[in-house]
Amino acid sequence: MKVAFYATLRQVVGHKTLEFDLPSDATVQMLLDEMIRKYPPLRSELLDSAGNLYNHVHIFVNARDSAFLEQGMETKLNREDVIGVFPAVGGG
């Protein structure tokens, strides 16, 4: 599954996009777990001390924020899904 990383997260993983090999029944949460397993520095960028996704971090599945998907982080993914991971972005 191809995942695009944005802003400061690109610096953490060293790439704009990465491929993750996941089982056919993978969920958004399983993808998050695999990203952190492969790139441990992502943990502090994506998760709070309780292991929950920060409110300011967004994982988009086909342009929809996972927080607003019917199954949330337990939403099943398809290989064709377009995934984007965004940290908080500010500026002016």
Side-chain angles (χ1 to χ4, degrees):
M1 174 158 300
K2 187 179 272 188
V3 177
F5 293 89
Y6 294 88
T8 56
L9 296 179
R10 287 183 179 169
Q11 296 166 349
V12 175
V13 299
H15 300 279
K16 180 178 179 177
T17 60
L18 291 169
E19 288 278 339
F20 291 90
D21 188 28
L22 298 170
S24 60
D25 64 342
T27 64
V28 177
Q29 182 64 53
M30 291 170 69
L31 173 60
L32 176 61
D33 294 343
E34 182 64 7
M35 289 188 300
I36 291 170
R37 186 187 73 75
K38 283 195 162 188
Y39 297 90
L42 281 176
R43 174 177 272 293
S44 63
E45 300 292 326
L46 303 178
L47 304 180
D48 64 19
S49 60
N52 299 311
L53 193 65
Y54 283 121
N55 288 333
H56 63 267
V57 172
H58 302 277
I59 299 176
F60 284 85
V61 179
N62 301 323
R64 292 196 61 214
D65 192 332
S66 60
F68 299 104
L69 296 173
E70 192 171 316
Q71 300 294 320
M73 294 297 284
E74 294 307 314
T75 298
K76 296 218 186 278
L77 299 171
N78 296 308
R79 288 221 171 270
E80 302 81 30
D81 288 339
V82 177
I83 309 295
V85 184
F86 294 82
V89 179

